[in-house]
Amino acid sequence: DTAVSQTPKYLVTQMGNDKSIKCEQNLGHDTMYWYKQDSKKFLKIMFSYNNKELIINETVPNRFSPKSPDKAHLNLHINSLELGDSAVYFCASSQTLGQGALPGELFFGEGSRLTVL
Amino acid sequence: AQSVTQLGSHVSVSEGALVLLRCNYSSSVPPYLFWYVQYPNQGLQLLLKYTSAATLVKGINGFEAEFKKSETSFHLTKPSAHMSDAAEYFCAVSDPGFGNEKLTFGTGTRLTIIP
């Protein structure tokens, strides 16, 4: 069973389209994240949710809208896609401090490679 | 703000040789530091972490790292490289203000193993 699973794994689309990436974790964690990895492998946090509540939003354009229907799911919807949105998007999860977790112990999905043409 | 700098975007070593990947951090408070590994077409996985306990930290697959406050460094080492170690390695620092939620990653070092 995959701990953190993302779909789709690959996504090719035209500029201006709207697309979504889904993420699910079966680890029982209460915090989930979206990270963006650009073509130079630089990883940057985009969003973090704790128990369905947004706690980190790193100055991401509002074309990006995360949605967390429950603490096991965090989806990413992107409107009006631009060329610069091409990247690999990683979902991750962790357990909140104070419940047995050590800091920074994130569990990552395999990534969703988005290509905007 | 916390940050990490990884010196050398590409490192090549011969199989059986010492692996040394460098990471220096910048932090106004005692940091938590991590090394993650990313194999091709996979997500990142935790290799090891420093959380203010022992300064020499041992991780998976024979890797270890030493926290040196005087040098603001957290270099990753392995005595003898194996072909399976070929991957991208990321150093990261945790922002204590956000508990364990917010990691700032370095730009990564690609490790190539020469047979």
Side-chain angles (χ1 to χ4, degrees):
Chain A
D1 247 1
T2 306
V4 181
S5 58
Q6 303 178 222
T7 54
K9 198 165 182 176
Y10 299 95
L11 191 51
V12 181
T13 189
Q14 300 286 335
M15 262 195 329
N17 284 352
D18 303 338
K19 290 294 177 186
S20 292
I21 307 172
K22 296 186 176 181
C23 179
E24 175 181 5
Q25 54 95 3
N26 62 8
L27 298 167
H29 291 164
D30 56 5
T31 305
M32 295 184 72
Y33 315 78
W34 279 109
Y35 277 82
K36 180 180 179 181
Q37 186 176 48
D38 63 22
S39 58
K40 296 185 178 178
K41 297 281 188 176
F42 183 59
L43 260 171
K44 188 170 167 53
I45 190 168
M46 301 173 68
F47 300 103
S48 170
Y49 270 73
N50 178 265
N51 274 321
K52 305 191 296 176
E53 185 180 333
L54 179 68
I55 55 174
I56 294 174
N57 180 343
E58 283 292 294
T59 59
V60 177
N62 57 16
R63 298 183 296 103
F64 290 79
S65 51
K67 283 190 172 46
S68 182
D70 55 61
K71 72 176 191 178
H73 295 83
L74 180 62
N75 304 322
L76 183 66
H77 188 75
I78 315 170
N79 290 326
S80 305
L81 279 156
E82 300 177 357
L83 293 176
D85 298 331
S86 295
V88 181
Y89 292 85
F90 285 99
C91 179
S93 72
S94 70
Q95 190 60 25
T96 306
L97 274 177
Q99 296 179 29
L102 290 170
E105 199 156 7
L106 300 185
F107 293 79
F108 285 81
E110 293 190 343
S112 297
R113 182 177 294 276
L114 171 65
T115 303
V116 182
L117 303 174
Chain B
Q2 325 274 45
S3 66
V4 288
T5 302
Q6 292 183 242
L7 295 174
S9 57
H10 290 89
V11 170
S12 295
V13 301
S14 298
E15 192 174 14
L18 171 72
V19 175
L20 170 61
L21 304 182
R22 299 177 188 274
C23 173
N24 288 87
Y25 69 89
S26 171
S27 175
S28 57
V29 297
Y32 295 138
L33 292 160
F34 313 86
W35 277 98
Y36 278 81
V37 60
Q38 183 180 25
Y39 297 103
N41 299 315
Q42 293 188 27
L44 282 73
Q45 64 182 83
L46 183 66
L47 262 182
L48 49 80
K49 56 185 179 285
Y50 166 76
T51 55
S52 72
T55 55
L56 181 62
V57 181
K58 293 187 186 299
I60 62 172
N61 301 337
F63 283 94
E64 61 182 39
E66 187 171 8
F67 174 72
K68 291 187 177 180
K69 186 177 178 181
S70 60
E71 299 177 9
T72 61
S73 68
F74 190 57
H75 301 331
L76 181 71
T77 59
K78 181 173 180 176
S80 177
H82 192 273
M83 294 300 294
S84 60
D85 295 327
E88 193 91 24
Y89 292 80
F90 292 91
C91 184
V93 61
S94 175
D95 186 335
F98 284 88
N100 68 333
E101 279 78 22
K102 190 174 173 185
L103 286 186
T104 299
F105 285 89
T107 49
T109 297
R110 176 165 296 177
L111 177 64
T112 300
I113 310 299
I114 304 164

